[in-house]
């Protein structure tokens, strides 16, 4: 390496002391923007698809998935606040005019910004992982769409569910969520109507 090249690198290293904080703040601004976008996307998906996705889950799975999504929100919002703090500093800080005081403050601020960025990245990754985990949990445990949905009306009751069995004496309809269905056996002699339906809501 030539002497001129070494001097140039040494000069850049000296300049980095004065530009490092600005570069870190720009990185923090990028993280804050990314976290804001992810949080907004998660909010939209939760509002638009959440109720339909939870409708096919059992109560316990729904509670676990909801807790995971709430935790994901908290982590993403925490990461967003940390990134905003790293990008813009703390409100109300005094402007330092003395050279040595400014140098000490800049060194401390570089450490704080770096730490905030690291925790913002952790919050981002953990929040996305929790949100994805909630979706996987819901998809993995969702009931397959019910086939042969019917609304059966007798002279005593009305039952809507999956037609499990029908013969000359009785009709069996399954209701409820999960692998174990509540079975309703209805006698053919009391049948008033049997109508195919798209859903039982």
């Amino acid at each position: 390496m030539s002497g001129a090249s070494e001097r140039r690198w040494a000069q850049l290293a000296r300049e980095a002391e004065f530009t490092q904080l600005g570069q870190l703040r720009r990185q923090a601004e990028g993280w804050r923007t990314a976290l804001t976008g992810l949080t907004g996307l998660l909010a939209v998906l939760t509002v638009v698809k959440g109720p339909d996705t939870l409708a096919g889950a059992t109560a316990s799975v729904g509670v676990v998935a909801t807790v995971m999504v709430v935790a994901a929100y908290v982590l993403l919002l925490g990461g967003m606040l940390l990134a905003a703090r790293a990008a813009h500093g703390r409100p109300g800080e005094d402007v330092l005019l003395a050279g040595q005081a400014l140098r000490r403050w800049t060194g401390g601020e570089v450490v704080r910004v770096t730490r905030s960025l690291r925790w913002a990245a952790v919050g981002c990754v953990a929040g996305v992982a929790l949100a994805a985990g909630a979706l996987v949990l819901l998809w993995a445990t969702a009931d397959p769409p019910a086939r042969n949905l019917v609304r059966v009306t007798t002279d005593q009751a009305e039952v809507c569910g999956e037609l499990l069995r029908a013969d000359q004496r009785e009709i069996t309809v399954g209701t409820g969520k999960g692998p174990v269905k509540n079975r309703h056996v209805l006698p053919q002699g009391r049948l008033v109507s049997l109508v195919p339906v798209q859903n039982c809501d």
Side-chain angles (χ1 to χ4, degrees):
M1 188 180 291
S2 67
S5 178
E6 288 182 359
R7 285 193 298 274
R8 178 60 179 150
W9 281 112
Q11 180 185 358
L12 288 174
R14 287 192 299 272
E15 291 173 357
E17 180 182 3
F18 302 100
T19 60
Q20 185 180 16
L21 181 58
Q23 291 171 352
L24 285 172
R25 291 215 191 277
R26 284 191 293 275
Q27 289 178 7
E29 187 65 33
W31 273 101
R32 185 186 67 82
T33 302
L35 284 163
T36 302
L38 283 172
T39 306
L41 178 63
L42 183 59
V44 169
L45 288 175
T46 302
V47 170
V48 173
K49 298 297 290 182
D52 293 339
T53 308
L54 282 175
T58 60
S60 58
V61 170
V63 168
V64 171
T66 302
V67 168
M68 290 174 73
V69 170
V70 169
Y73 271 125
V74 170
L75 287 168
L76 288 172
L77 286 172
M80 190 170 55
L81 291 174
L82 284 170
R85 153 67 181 92
H88 303 293
R90 289 178 295 192
E93 287 183 316
D94 295 330
V95 177
L96 303 173
L97 299 177
Q100 288 301 319
L102 180 59
R103 184 177 187 175
R104 284 193 301 273
W105 175 85
T106 301
E109 191 67 6
V110 165
V111 172
R112 285 191 293 272
V113 168
T114 303
R115 186 185 309 121
S116 294
L117 275 177
R118 188 176 300 121
W119 283 109
V122 169
C124 175
V125 172
V128 170
L130 276 172
L135 282 176
V136 169
L137 176 65
L138 287 170
W139 287 338
T141 58
D143 289 337
R147 295 174 293 176
N148 304 322
L149 284 179
V150 293
R151 188 179 309 278
V152 180
T153 305
T154 67
D155 57 1
Q156 293 183 330
E158 181 179 279
V159 178
C160 186
E162 186 175 358
L163 180 63
L164 301 177
R165 182 172 173 272
D167 58 28
Q168 294 179 347
R169 291 183 302 157
E170 58 193 22
I171 297 170
T172 305
V173 178
T175 61
K177 296 176 182 175
V180 179
K181 304 284 187 186
N182 297 321
R183 298 171 72 90
H184 301 271
V185 179
L186 307 167
Q188 286 274 18
R190 295 182 174 273
L191 181 66
V192 174
S193 67
L194 187 151
V195 181
V197 294
Q198 294 295 320
N199 56 65
C200 288
D201 296 338

